[in-house]
Amino acid sequence: MPQLRPATKDDAATIVALMDMASHGMAPALWAAITPAGMDPDSFAIARAQRDTGGFSYRNTRILMQGDQPAGMLMSWPLPPAPLPTDALPSLAVPLQQLENLAPRDALYINALAVFPAFRRRGLARFMLDHAGQGPQALITGSDNHEALALYRSAGFTETARRPAIGDHLWHPHFPDWLLLTR
């Protein structure tokens, strides 16, 4: 039986690997764009996951365990009471923040839901969605993520907005739009 347990700082490398998957490869490009000079982007991402504050933190993450192995993660947090500005963000992140700003302010924002490939097609992503929490929820995914979209729709999510996916020299989206889904 799968279990969701709170993440610890020791899970940071697992969180980073799963965020890469959940973001369609965009997270490493964002980390590279904001990594301080002289620091390795992977080390920077792991350090961010180990923070006690901020959205991208182990404190907002639950690790899905299948037996004694991490199989996936669910990262979520309540949306702030007011939309956040986009002017200081890397261009890649602007459409994501714009969509997040359109979500209901009382929603739980599911920032990342990911399952390692060896554990897919076992109902584990649905298990995590079913245990995400009560009340309104919002998430964002790529418009070509057909398997995930089928899962989200079967779980009661509907598309409420979309924004064009923006690439740069570090990341090129293979899909045209980011989609905001809510339930």
Side-chain angles (χ1 to χ4, degrees):
M1 178 75 173
Q3 293 184 351
L4 272 174
R5 64 163 174 81
T8 68
K9 288 183 178 188
D10 292 338
D11 293 311
T14 297
I15 293 168
V16 167
L18 287 162
M19 182 57 77
D20 182 9
M21 285 185 248
S23 71
H24 305 270
M26 186 184 77
L30 283 173
W31 295 323
I34 62 173
T35 298
M39 188 172 189
D40 172 64
D42 289 334
S43 299
F44 175 74
I46 289 170
R48 285 183 67 84
Q50 291 175 331
R51 296 179 307 169
D52 290 325
T53 60
F56 184 72
S57 165
Y58 76 96
R59 290 194 180 265
N60 293 323
T61 307
R62 289 183 279 166
I63 300 295
L64 176 71
M65 299 298 293
Q66 187 70 31
D68 62 351
Q69 292 187 21
M73 77 166 180
L74 171 69
M75 181 182 285
S76 62
W77 56 82
L79 285 172
L84 299 177
T86 60
D87 51 337
L89 294 175
S91 62
L92 296 176
V94 169
L96 296 168
Q97 188 62 57
Q98 289 173 339
L99 288 171
E100 186 180 317
N101 287 344
L102 294 173
R105 300 320 312 161
D106 62 342
L108 175 72
Y109 179 59
I110 299 173
N111 179 263
L113 177 76
V115 176
F116 283 119
F119 295 97
R120 291 183 183 159
R121 300 202 178 283
R122 298 182 192 180
L124 297 174
R126 181 58 178 252
F127 175 84
M128 288 190 287
L129 276 179
D130 290 347
H131 292 85
Q134 299 296 312
Q137 297 174 356
L139 59 83
I140 299 170
T141 192
S143 58
D144 76 332
N145 198 354
H146 302 294
E147 290 179 16
L149 285 167
L151 168 68
Y152 300 146
R153 288 181 177 129
S154 75
F157 284 88
T158 57
E159 180 182 336
T160 55
R162 63 175 56 211
R163 292 290 182 272
I166 297 172
D168 67 6
H169 68 287
L170 296 172
W171 181 73
H172 305 285
H174 57 274
F175 49 90
D177 297 312
W178 289 110
L179 309 180
L180 172 65
L181 305 173
T182 59
R183 71 172 176 180

